[in-house]
Amino acid sequence: MQILSDFNKDTQTQSKESGSYEWWYFDFLGQGGYSVVIIFYDGNPFSRRYISELNSGKQANPGNYPALSLSVYKEGTPLFYLFDECDPSETDFSEDQPKGFVKKNSFSGYKTDVGLKYDITLNQKLPSGDKIEASLSFISESWDASELVKESGGKEDHIWNLVGPRCDVSGEINISGYQEHQIEVAGTGYHDHNAGFEPMKESFTEWYWGRYHLSNSTLVYYLMNEQGTWKYKAWLICGKGGEIRQLKTEMNKNNLQRNLFGLKSCRAFTFYDDHTELYLQKDRVTDDGPFYQRFEGRLIAKKGEKIEECRGISEYIYPSRIYNKLFWPLVNMRIAYPGKAHWVQKNPILYRWTW
C-alpha cells in the first residue's frame, strides 16, 4: 500500500485497469448524536454488475460503474440510506482538481490561507419517495504528514491518500418523505481518498479501519490481512498542526463476533506507545452485511492520570465474500442500479428493513 497525504493528488487516477476502483470518503460525527458517511465511487467494488463482468473474463472498465453511497444516522440508527450506481453519463471526476459529481451530488476541494476546504452538495430522491438535500463544508488546517508517509510500503496496488484526518464540519441536511428531519450540522469530520488497481480481493483478505477524534488529537488506524500476513498501522495525530505519533496495536481475538450472515470480525483493540494507552470497543453496529460492517465505537484514552473518551467510526471488509452469488439477492435490495428499481426499494417501509 502506498500511503500519502497530498491535496494535489486528491484527483481521479488515470488508471483504468480492469478490476480497479477508487472512492472519495467523507464522514463526521456531530452534535445531537448525528453522524454521516458519504462516499463517491469511480468503479464501485461492491457492484454485482461490475463483478459479473470481471467473472466473465472481459476487460471491465471501472468508469462504467460510478456510484454514490450515503448514510445518515441518529445515535447509530439509520435515518436515511442510499447506494446508487449510475450511468457514466451522469457522473464526472476531475483528473486536475479534487472535484466530482454523481447525478446532482458533488464535492469540490480547494486551498485556503490556512489549509483546505471541501464543499459537498447532496440532492437525491429515492424510488421510495424519500429525498435528501444538504450543503456541507469540511475545513482542515495544513499538517505535516511526513512521518505517516514514511510508513508507506509493500505492493503499490492500493493508494491511501489521507487528505483531511481532522476537519471542522458545518452545514445543514434536510430529509423529507416518510420521515422529516432538519439537521443543523456542527461536528468533527474526516476525508480520505482510496484507489486500488486490481480487484479488492486480490490485494487483501481482511481490512479493519477507523478514526476517532479526541479533544486535541485523532486516532487513525488500519489492520490489513494481506493473504495471510497481517499489517498493523496506527497513528495519533496530535493537535491541528499534525504532529504524528506511531502506535503499537493489539487485536483482542477473544472478542470476535459473528453476524447473521456468518461474517466474523473483531470488536476490541488496544493502541499504545510510551505515553498513552487507547482502548477501543466497537459497541454499536450501524451497517451489517455479508462482507462489510460499519461501527460506531467508544475510545478511551489514558495518559498518566488523565482519562478521556470519545466516539468514532470503524469499518471492516472481507472482499472475497462479495463474489459469493448467494448474497447477491440481498445486495440487489440495497444497491440501486441504472434502470428499473428493485421492488423493495420502492416501498419506504420494506426498504428500511434492509438498512
Side-chain angles (χ1 to χ4, degrees), residues 47-58 325 328:
S47 169
R48 180 258 305 161
R49 297 167 61 241
Y50 192 8
I51 291 170
S52 294
E53 188 170 6
L54 288 171
N55 285 344
S56 71
K58 297 179 181 178
K325 293 184 179 180
W328 285 10

Side-chain angles (χ1 to χ4, degrees), residues 96 147 175 236 284:
D96 303 313
E147 289 300 316
I175 299 172
L236 194 64
R284 182 182 289 163

Side-chain angles (χ1 to χ4, degrees), residues 35-165:
S35 58
V36 173
V37 176
I38 307 164
I39 311 175
F40 294 83
Y41 294 91
D42 185 22
N44 175 14
F46 309 114
S47 169
R48 180 258 305 161
R49 297 167 61 241
Y50 192 8
I51 291 170
S52 294
E53 188 170 6
L54 288 171
N55 285 344
S56 71
K58 297 179 181 178
Q59 290 295 308
N61 181 355
N64 291 334
Y65 306 98
L68 172 77
S69 69
L70 168 63
S71 300
V72 181
Y73 307 97
K74 174 68 179 293
E75 303 293 350
T77 300
L79 301 180
F80 187 93
Y81 174 86
L82 71 85
F83 202 146
D84 195 355
E85 187 170 300
C86 311
D87 187 272
S89 64
E90 300 177 288
T91 68
D92 186 57
F93 298 97
S94 173
E95 294 183 0
D96 303 313
Q97 303 175 57
K99 68 177 183 178
F101 68 83
V102 174
K103 292 186 173 178
K104 295 181 180 180
N105 312 279
S106 65
F107 70 92
S108 180
Y110 50 93
K111 294 182 178 180
T112 69
D113 291 340
V114 295
L116 307 175
K117 182 179 181 183
Y118 283 79
D119 292 324
I120 297 177
T121 299
L122 303 174
N123 188 344
Q124 185 87 4
K125 188 173 183 179
L126 302 181
S128 64
D130 290 311
K131 185 176 182 180
I132 188 168
E133 296 178 288
S135 178
L136 304 171
S137 293
F138 284 66
I139 299 175
S140 61
E141 294 185 4
S142 300
W143 66 293
D144 182 3
S146 56
E147 289 300 316
L148 181 144
V149 174
K150 285 180 182 178
E151 297 303 312
S152 182
K155 294 193 304 178
E156 293 191 359
D157 48 24
H158 189 102
I159 295 174
W160 179 35
N161 191 353
L162 183 55
V163 183

